[in-house]
Amino acid sequence: NAKSKAKDIAEDVMSYEVTSNRKYVYFINDDEELMCVNGKKGGKVKEICTDEVSSIALSKKDVLFYLVKEDGDKEGEVFATKNGSKGKLVQDDIVSLDASNFVVFATTENEEDIYISTGSKKMKLLELN
């Protein structure tokens, strides 16, 4: 039963991130919704966000950031979640979200501003001077 459940979930996964302790798996399904599976609670799937999630990025302290864009919009809002909880808005007017070495980057249009997070549910403006 567990194998068939995993196979059903995997068929819908467009993008995913796994926490360092492997307890939580976050994924964007084929409807562009953000979902979470808690491996310690029998693999039950939980909705985190039903809006259109375009990308996800995991920080070094297992905070998941996700970018929500309205249909056709260039810019969106970045939310943060941890341990499968409801997301909290942390930044708006963002066009892209990415991570490198568990540092999360969010950029505005024309890369005028770049925001970073190394672990907390907050982002701060990266000073390039």
Side-chain angles (χ1 to χ4, degrees):
N1 188 19
K3 282 185 180 180
S4 64
K5 185 188 290 187
K7 185 177 177 185
D8 289 344
I9 292 170
E11 290 174 353
D12 293 339
V13 173
M14 306 305 288
S15 176
Y16 72 94
E17 292 284 349
V18 181
T19 58
S20 61
N21 62 5
R22 296 186 180 125
K23 184 175 179 181
Y24 293 95
V25 177
Y26 297 96
F27 64 94
I28 300 173
N29 66 15
D30 57 356
D31 291 328
E32 298 178 330
E33 300 165 326
L34 180 61
M35 311 299 277
C36 179
V37 174
N38 181 335
K40 304 288 185 194
K41 292 190 176 180
K44 292 185 180 180
V45 178
K46 175 182 176 183
E47 280 183 349
I48 303 296
C49 180
T50 58
D51 294 328
E52 291 182 20
V53 176
S54 60
S55 58
I56 56 178
L58 194 64
S59 75
K60 85 168 84 169
K61 294 197 180 183
D62 290 334
V63 175
L64 184 90
F65 291 87
Y66 58 97
L67 180 59
V68 175
K69 292 183 181 180
E70 294 294 322
D71 193 25
D73 284 352
K74 274 197 245 181
E75 298 176 342
E77 298 173 321
V78 174
F79 292 81
T81 183
K82 187 166 180 159
N83 298 330
S85 63
K86 184 179 179 192
K88 174 186 168 196
L89 177 65
V90 293
Q91 200 62 52
D92 60 3
D93 299 327
I94 300 298
V95 295
S96 67
L97 180 69
D98 201 0
S100 176
N101 296 320
F102 299 105
V103 175
V104 178
F105 298 89
T107 56
T108 60
E109 194 169 9
N110 300 325
E111 297 184 0
E112 289 177 8
D113 292 319
I114 299 173
Y115 296 90
I116 63 168
S117 178
T118 56
S120 70
K121 287 187 180 182
K122 298 178 183 174
M123 300 197 103
K124 62 182 181 180
L125 183 62
L126 180 62
E127 301 290 338
L128 298 174
N129 297 335

